[in-house]
Amino acid sequence: MTVKYHESGIWIEKTGENYRIGLSEKGQDDIGEVMFVELPEYGTKLEAGDVLLGVEGAKAVTELTIPVAGEVKAIHEEVEDEPELLNSPDKNENWIIEVSGVDQAVVDTFANDPWESKK
């Protein structure tokens, strides 16, 4: 599956049974250099609009919300100790969580380009 992008500054990609969610180029640009993050806990059931990530960056202190509902199945724990990983362009480094139970139809409505929602 291709990576999809949401206007909130996240990307989402199907990985096997789960969906991996990370910080997109737009999100990185909006926040600036990430200095601190607060992640959800494993097993948490998130609804669309719930807080995905509490983040402190050079440009903003904010909470990113998750645009899909799902249950947290994996957490990128290294990000808690090394929040600068979220500044990386590499999706193997800037991912945040993996969730299950996502509605693919919702994901299909997201943009194919990380900057599309800014146009």
Side-chain angles (χ1 to χ4, degrees), residues 44 47 62 91:
T44 302
E47 295 297 326
T62 189
K91 289 186 174 32

Side-chain angles (χ1 to χ4, degrees), residues 71-113:
E71 182 176 345
V72 179
K73 292 296 185 181
I75 300 166
H76 191 185
E77 294 177 4
E78 292 81 10
V79 167
E80 288 183 311
D81 295 327
E82 299 177 61
E84 63 274 7
L85 287 172
L86 292 181
N87 301 315
S88 172
D90 185 344
K91 289 186 174 32
N92 290 318
E93 292 183 358
N94 72 20
W95 69 278
I96 302 164
I97 62 170
E98 288 186 11
V99 292
S100 67
V102 171
D103 184 346
Q104 181 62 47
V106 173
V107 175
D108 289 341
T109 67
F110 299 168
N112 291 316
D113 178 277

Side-chain angles (χ1 to χ4, degrees), residues 54-67:
V55 63
E56 183 176 321
K59 294 182 182 178
V61 175
T62 189
E63 292 179 334
L64 288 179
T65 58
I66 189 168

